[in-house]
Amino acid sequence: GAVVSQHPSRVICKSGTSVKIECRSLDFQATTMFWYRQFPKKSLMLMATSNEGSKATYEQGVEKDKFLINHASLTLSTLTVTSAHPEDSSFYICSANRAGTGETEAFFGQGTRLTVV
Amino acid sequence: ILNVEQSPQSLHVQEGDSTNFTCSFPSSNFYALHWYRWETAKSPEALFVMTLNGDEKKKGRISATLNTKEGYSYLYIKGSQPEDSATYLCAFTNQAGTALIFGKGTTLSVSS
């Protein structure tokens, strides 16, 4: 099966600092990765589509300067929450599709629980 | 706006009971419907991918059906076991290679 590793799984940071979350496809290449955020009692909400070698595509209402996405290789995408504030506290999870297959199945990381204090 | 609805939001059953959940999604521009099983502290695990109207998929005691014309899918669990306790997510996509649109999930709790 396809494995996606996401870390850290849990992070606590101070208000005003930045936090980087990594999403790595371990045994397949992913030209596209997706970043989701889950609010309490809500669906997984798509934040952005991370495209290898080009700029990420952000969903409406998601600040691209706040949530910096870099997809520098076919196996790694990073999400950096800049100048974090308590309202950024949430669960963030990434997914990746296998490149070149036309599949729609998404393989997920384990998620990151961010707490900003 | 594409919207995926799941019901019920949560469900509590006794071991041995059979149960089912519903997922409704936009019936126009359909490409694929996914079911995932998500246990706490783990990655969501793919259960089924369905693409054709009338599709029925089965994995052990779990099965799913798909009606693309009316925009719904059912997930069935026969003879629930405590290890079936998890959140079951339904996700829709209208195009290959694009992000999945998720429902809020149905959280199942099975008591022994």
Side-chain angles (χ1 to χ4, degrees):
Chain A
V3 179
V4 174
S5 175
Q6 181 177 344
H7 76 90
S9 59
R10 190 178 293 270
V11 58
I12 300 173
C13 71
K14 290 185 177 178
S15 213
T17 61
S18 295
V19 174
K20 181 187 283 189
I21 303 170
E22 289 191 352
C23 181
R24 201 178 289 272
S25 56
L26 298 185
D27 53 358
F28 67 98
Q29 293 183 334
T31 51
T32 305
M33 292 185 176
F34 304 98
W35 288 96
Y36 294 86
R37 178 176 179 177
Q38 186 179 39
F39 293 96
K41 300 187 187 300
K42 299 286 187 183
S43 313
L44 292 175
M45 300 299 295
L46 179 66
M47 297 175 66
T49 301
S50 171
N51 303 299
E52 187 269 332
S54 64
K55 291 182 181 179
T57 305
Y58 289 82
E59 295 300 299
Q60 191 173 3
V62 178
E63 299 174 57
K64 61 181 181 182
D65 295 328
K66 173 75 172 175
F67 299 100
L68 298 179
I69 290 173
N70 184 280
H71 193 152
S73 78
L74 286 170
T75 59
L76 175 64
S77 174
T78 60
L79 168 68
T80 302
V81 183
T82 62
S83 187
H85 289 283
E87 57 264 32
D88 299 323
S89 299
S90 194
F91 182 80
Y92 297 86
I93 192 167
C94 69
S95 74
N97 295 14
R98 277 191 280 226
T101 63
E103 295 175 343
T104 55
E105 182 175 349
F107 300 93
F108 285 87
Q110 299 90 334
T112 298
R113 172 71 60 190
L114 171 63
T115 304
V116 185
V117 297
Chain B
I1 295 176
L2 299 174
N3 208 29
V4 176
E5 300 286 343
Q6 288 189 250
S7 64
Q9 183 176 332
S10 63
L11 190 58
H12 186 106
V13 301
Q14 294 294 314
E15 183 175 358
D17 288 349
S18 293
T19 186
N20 65 85
F21 324 133
T22 304
C23 171
S24 62
F25 53 88
S27 55
S28 59
N29 296 320
F30 174 85
Y31 189 84
L33 192 284
H34 296 248
W35 281 99
Y36 285 86
R37 179 172 180 274
W38 194 6
E39 289 183 73
T40 304
K42 294 186 178 180
S43 306
E45 171 198 355
L47 288 175
F48 304 112
V49 180
M50 294 182 288
T51 57
L52 298 176
N53 183 47
D55 260 354
E56 291 188 28
K57 294 280 179 87
K58 187 175 181 182
K59 184 185 287 189
R61 294 179 290 100
I62 305 177
S63 60
T65 61
L66 179 67
N67 182 320
T68 60
K69 295 187 187 304
E70 295 181 44
Y72 65 83
S73 173
Y74 293 131
L75 186 78
Y76 300 92
I77 301 179
K78 185 177 178 181
S80 302
Q81 299 296 309
E83 57 265 31
D84 295 329
S85 298
T87 295
Y88 291 83
L89 295 172
C90 161
F92 158 89
T93 182
N94 60 4
Q95 187 177 343
T98 58
L100 299 177
I101 308 298
F102 284 88
K104 293 181 185 179
T106 294
T107 299
L108 173 67
S109 176
V110 183
S111 302
S112 56

